[in-house]
Amino acid sequence: MSGRTEGGATERRLCGLAIFLAALVALLLATPASAAPIDDQFRAWLQNDLWPEAKAKGISEKTFDTAFDGVKPNLKLPDLVLPGKKATTPQKQHQAEFGSPGAYFAEKTVRAVTSGGRTREAANARTLAAIEKRYGVPGEVLLAIWGRETGFGAAKMPYDAFEVLGTKAFMSTRKAFFRTELLAALEIVERGLAPVGAMKSSWAGALGQPQFMPTSFLKHAVDFDGDGRADIWNSVPDTLASIANYLVHYGWVKGRGWGFEVTMPETVSCSLEGPDQGKKISDWAAMGIKRVGGKAFPASELKKEGFLLMPAGRSGPAFIATPNFYVLKGYNTSDLYALFIGHGADRIAHGDSNFSGSWGAVGGLHRSDIAALQRALEAKGYDVGSADGLPGFKTRRSIGKWQAKNGRAATCFPDADLVSTLK
């Protein structure tokens, strides 16, 4: 009796264990991969997805393993989408305020670049002269970019480039872009252009003192100090010459500046703004547009093309920009950035003199409100560029056209009344 009872109990335990194991296997098979720890998914992605492509592009296993040794995804980086999840617009971006463009030109910020630029202009005079002779880009422009990007190299690059680029290539909203940059970073190391330990970057994966993305490094970094290596982390001549080479690649026109601050008569519509509505500078002058301070446009510029630029519409300074302005914008796709660099370069060259025009009390709207305004204008057939909550030149001039069409004074800039009317 006792023996049969124990045997039956053993059979029941074995049967129960088999049922449990079968259920566990079924559960594991039914569980999506996204339930696995994110670090494990990242390592699997590296080995099964990224490595085959890197190998095909000539990256050695040694370089690949060294670059990713100990690297884990950094979940604190912005614009990430967890595997298995859908991309959503962060709430903070929805509710972020778009401030006055004038805030971008806070005197403390501008003066740090201009005073630091003048100091370094004197210290690097021979280098800057040699770079300008080779590339045709004025030293003041290079200094303004250097100062704006990394405080003349003082800004610390706290991130491992492979951690940043790896995370973003694996799980950001722009995976394809960052995958290309990650493979370029591996190429930098493979070619011996920089060791893994030197690959420090910003939170966006930008490298060195000029803040080049890896693809830009491969295309534009130059060895100007003659030591056999393009070193944008430690060499000032290499940093400045690399910036100049970048600008030339994107069309810098030797002998032209970036633009001129002007006064705008009321008879000239602010909706004429934009790089696709250029006119000869003599034609702008014939419309009554004048340089500030009573200066004439240089005779050498009159037959050349210029473009109306009004970053705050009628509520801020106005400018006639040259094609070089849009080359500067190519360094960082923002009208305000390019204007900051041009203005900073002027102040490095000629002394601290602010804009003649003042920035009005505009801004304070939520980006989501501006995006709603942009969508409303799109629905009416206007080209706003993108409903991203940022009033670029296409949005500004579309606002001006709508205002004029509806009997309003054209300001070419969003305000609360306009948002409530059009939403």
Side-chain angles (χ1 to χ4, degrees), residues 20 44 86 138 156 208 229 232 338 409:
F20 171 76
K86 290 185 178 180
K156 302 300 180 186
R229 187 164 76 92
I232 63 171

Side-chain angles (χ1 to χ4, degrees), residues 1-13:
M1 174 78 78
S2 173
R4 288 196 301 273
T5 302
E6 288 177 4
T10 299
E11 289 176 4
R12 286 194 297 272
R13 283 197 296 272

Side-chain angles (χ1 to χ4, degrees), residues 8-291:
T10 299
E11 289 176 4
R12 286 194 297 272
R13 283 197 296 272
L14 291 173
C15 182
L17 180 59
I19 293 171
F20 171 76
L21 290 173
L24 180 60
V25 169
L27 178 63
L28 289 174
L29 290 174
T31 301
S34 59
I38 196 73
D39 291 357
D40 293 347
Q41 292 183 65
F42 178 68
R43 301 312 300 188
W45 171 79
L46 285 176
Q47 293 303 318
N48 302 327
D49 189 336
L50 187 67
W51 165 240
E53 183 175 1
K55 183 180 180 181
K57 290 181 177 293
I59 306 301
S60 67
E61 190 170 2
K62 179 182 178 182
T63 293
F64 192 88
D65 290 346
T66 303
F68 294 108
D69 184 26
V71 170
K72 296 180 180 180
N74 184 342
L75 302 184
K76 294 181 180 180
L77 295 172
D79 303 323
L80 302 183
V81 182
L82 290 172
K85 303 291 185 181
K86 290 185 178 180
T88 57
T89 303
Q91 187 67 18
K92 65 179 181 180
Q93 181 169 324
H94 251 300
Q95 295 305 322
E97 285 193 357
F98 180 83
S100 167
Y104 198 88
F105 300 91
E107 181 61 21
K108 181 179 179 181
T109 305
V110 179
R111 193 174 288 271
V113 170
T114 57
S115 62
R118 280 193 293 273
T119 298
R120 287 161 180 82
E121 186 174 40
N124 297 280
R126 291 181 63 183
T127 296
L128 289 166
I131 292 172
E132 183 167 0
K133 183 177 181 180
R134 180 181 298 183
Y135 296 101
V137 182
E140 295 84 9
V141 171
L142 307 178
L143 291 164
I145 292 175
W146 186 27
R148 179 67 188 182
E149 290 296 332
T150 57
F152 307 103
K156 302 300 180 186
M157 295 294 111
Y159 294 95
D160 179 320
F162 291 104
E163 176 188 271
V164 171
L165 297 171
T167 300
K168 287 180 170 286
F170 174 56
M171 57 186 295
S172 80
T173 56
R174 300 169 65 201
K175 286 194 271 191
F177 170 82
F178 285 104
R179 186 186 185 97
T180 298
E181 296 298 339
L182 179 56
L183 290 165
L186 289 166
E187 183 180 344
I188 290 171
V189 175
E190 183 67 33
R191 289 169 53 184
L193 303 176
V196 167
M199 296 290 282
K200 300 299 181 184
S201 76
S202 70
W203 61 266
L207 306 171
Q209 297 190 43
Q211 286 292 272
F212 280 178
M213 294 303 289
T215 53
S216 290
F217 177 95
L218 291 172
K219 292 176 185 175
H220 309 303
V222 295
D223 170 24
F224 202 77
D225 60 14
D227 69 351
R229 187 164 76 92
D231 184 357
I232 63 171
W233 291 270
N234 304 296
S235 169
V236 170
D238 289 4
T239 293
L240 294 171
S242 296
I243 295 171
N245 191 39
Y246 182 102
L247 296 177
V248 168
H249 178 86
Y250 285 99
W252 184 270
V253 180
K254 183 178 181 179
R256 296 196 78 181
W258 67 271
F260 312 91
E261 187 182 358
V262 298
T263 56
M264 275 279 292
E266 291 297 327
T267 53
V268 178
S269 173
C270 52
S271 66
L272 293 175
E273 183 182 7
D276 53 351
Q277 299 192 101
K279 301 178 186 294
K280 290 180 181 179
I281 289 181
S282 59
D283 292 339
W284 290 115
M287 296 168 71
I289 293 176
K290 300 177 180 179
R291 284 185 71 184

